[in-house]
Amino acid sequence: MHIFVTGGAGYIGSVCSEEILNAGHQVTVFDNLSEGHRSAVDPRATLILGDLMNRDEIFAAVKGARPDAIMHFAANALVSESMTNPSKYFRNNVSGGINLIDAAVDAGVKKFIFSSTCATYGTPEKIPMDERLAQKPINPYGQSKLMFEQILNWYDRIHGLVYINLRYFNAAGASDKFGEDHRIESHLIPCILKVALGQREKAEIYGEKYTTPDGTCIRDFIHIQDLAAAHILALGRETSVSYNLGSGEGFSVRQVLDIARKVTGHPIPVVVKEPRPGDPPRLVASSHKITSELGWRPKYPRLQPIIESAWAWHQKHPNGYGD
Ligand SMILES: NC(=O)c1ccc[n+]([C@@H]2O[C@H](COP(=O)([O-])OP(=O)(O)OC[C@H]3O[C@@H](n4cnc5c(N)ncnc54)[C@H](O)[C@@H]3O)[C@@H](O)[C@H]2O)c1
């Protein structure tokens, strides 16, 4: 199959492209490199430089590629930034997304795999979180992703565009070649590893008075190669659906720090800061639905090997991609 990958120069899109290519498919990456990196694009893929906000560019790119399916990773994805600049999130994640699905309909593309998020649920009423939970986002990032899920539903009903919403929990880890290098790094594991690399003095803990056993937030980490495997399985799906994707186990920020200390051999000192607005205390996935319907199972169910793969990549690329 030929897969059109928006955001393929970013963290998750780069590893998904690599795995799709390894599975024998063809990949066209569409990215404006606002957050991604040219050298994060697998050399076997075709890279089109373009912006989703430019309707002509995305229409021409999709029409020219004539893909069998689109995987849509391109977005702005910082919860805290969305709490101060909601406009950026609604414009890029919703309006940019509409340009893309209009281009898909125009070019006759029938399958669309969307990078959604557990942030669409907000603060969950129940853990582990399955797909039946009410979606009540508590930040504009999560709201923008939920709005786009709802728009996709109408495009299926009206245009027959089959969508698979993959609601990721916290993506983590690296492949041998590609890893996590966000321009503004706020994700827990790379922030901690930067301390172990000697690039930051202390790891930051945002809040230690949450209603969790050690008072710090609890998150569910999923290896990006496991995420990639789910995308490849989703290509075989013929009707629209939403799936949660996580390892099913929650780790507190302090537990993540302990594992990172073990992996890196560095004491990783910490500083406790104020809680960040828009951060729910506990997010843990039930991935039962995708396991039973598509046969997906994580190859990295444990956190330590996930952090080990991230650490190996960061040691090889202490300054990230450098572009
Ligand atoms: N990282 C996570 O833990 C996580 C969790 C849940 C969901 N997600 C979702 O997964 C997707 C990928 O996340 P990531 O961590 O790889 O982010 P990322 O920032 O590394 O990648 C996003 C890519 O999209 C590109 N992009 C952004 N806006 C664009 C535009 N208008 N036109 C063209 N390209 C554009 C960026 O240059 C970048 O390469 C996002 O949609 C995000 O919301 C991520």
Side-chain angles (χ1 to χ4, degrees):
M1 289 173 88
H2 181 185
I3 317 298
F4 189 90
V5 178
T6 74
Y11 170 45
I12 304 173
S14 64
V15 174
C16 283
S17 297
E18 180 187 26
E19 294 289 331
I20 297 162
L21 287 156
N22 289 347
H25 302 294
Q26 187 189 341
V27 168
T28 297
V29 166
F30 181 89
D31 203 298
N32 64 2
L33 302 184
S34 57
E35 294 294 338
H37 309 269
R38 194 180 281 268
S39 46
V41 178
D42 193 302
R44 294 169 292 175
T46 303
L47 170 62
I48 300 178
L49 281 179
D51 195 319
L52 285 179
M53 295 304 289
N54 184 321
R55 225 172 139 80
D56 293 342
E57 279 178 9
I58 188 61
F59 267 67
V62 177
K63 206 168 207 152
R66 297 219 154 272
D68 300 293
I70 293 177
M71 292 189 187
H72 178 35
F73 299 92
N76 292 117
L78 298 176
V79 167
S80 48
E81 185 187 49
S82 80
M83 294 293 285
T84 55
N85 188 359
S87 162
K88 178 174 174 182
Y89 283 72
F90 292 118
R91 280 184 291 123
N92 203 26
N93 299 357
V94 182
S95 305
I98 293 172
N99 288 339
L100 175 63
I101 49 180
D102 284 345
V105 170
D106 181 63
V109 180
K110 291 283 174 222
K111 196 166 286 181
F112 193 89
I113 301 177
F114 174 48
S115 299
S116 190
T117 165
C118 60
T120 59
Y121 293 108
T123 303
E125 280 145 27
K126 185 171 109 348
I127 297 283
M129 297 157 66
D130 67 27
E131 295 79 0
R132 290 166 299 189
L133 278 181
Q135 289 176 290
K136 295 183 198 159
I138 57 167
N139 50 60
Y141 165 62
Q143 185 73 54
S144 70
K145 290 282 181 172
L146 176 58
M147 285 165 76
F148 193 64
E149 283 194 6
Q150 290 166 337
I151 293 167
L152 279 174
N153 187 258
W154 286 108
Y155 274 59
D156 179 10
R157 286 157 77 168
I158 294 165
H159 297 297
L161 181 66
V162 171
Y163 63 83
I164 297 97
N165 294 324
L166 297 178
R167 298 180 188 142
Y168 319 155
F169 283 60
N170 285 60
S175 71
D176 280 346
K177 292 192 193 124
F178 303 113
E180 189 160 13
D181 179 18
H182 293 111
R183 295 190 195 279
I184 302 169
E185 195 53 82
S186 64
H187 292 86
L188 179 63
I189 291 173
C191 286
I192 290 175
L193 296 181
K194 280 179 192 288
V195 180
L197 283 171
Q199 296 173 354
R200 289 188 187 183
E201 223 175 290
K202 289 179 178 172
E204 295 175 340
I205 295 179
Y206 294 98
E208 56 173 0
K209 294 202 172 85
Y210 285 98
T211 50
T212 58
D214 68 18
T216 64
C217 284
I218 291 180
R219 294 291 180 266
D220 177 331
F221 297 88
I222 173 168
H223 195 281
I224 34 170
Q225 285 175 325
D226 283 328
L227 273 183
H231 285 74
I232 293 169
L233 288 170
L235 287 172
R237 176 87 203 187
E238 295 304 337
T239 51
S240 294
V241 69
S242 301
Y243 292 124
N244 289 351
L245 267 176
S247 67
E249 210 181 330
F251 292 88
S252 73
V253 174
R254 286 203 186 275
Q255 286 176 317
V256 176
L257 277 157
D258 282 342
I259 297 173
R261 288 184 183 115
K262 199 157 129 194
V263 168
T264 62
H266 191 285
I268 313 182
V270 298
V271 55
V272 177
K273 299 218 157 169
E274 285 300 305
R276 291 183 294 201
D279 250 355
R282 196 190 288 248
L283 297 169
V284 181
S286 160
S287 299
H288 179 73
K289 186 174 171 191
I290 189 165
T291 299
S292 66
E293 292 187 6
L294 299 187
W296 177 84
R297 263 182 199 85
K299 284 201 182 121
Y300 291 86
R302 293 176 49 241
L303 185 56
Q304 185 165 328
I306 296 180
I307 296 184
E308 282 166 355
S309 73
W311 180 231
W313 190 84
H314 281 279
Q315 283 180 299
K316 268 193 271 169
H317 305 269
N319 300 312
Y321 287 106
D323 63 5

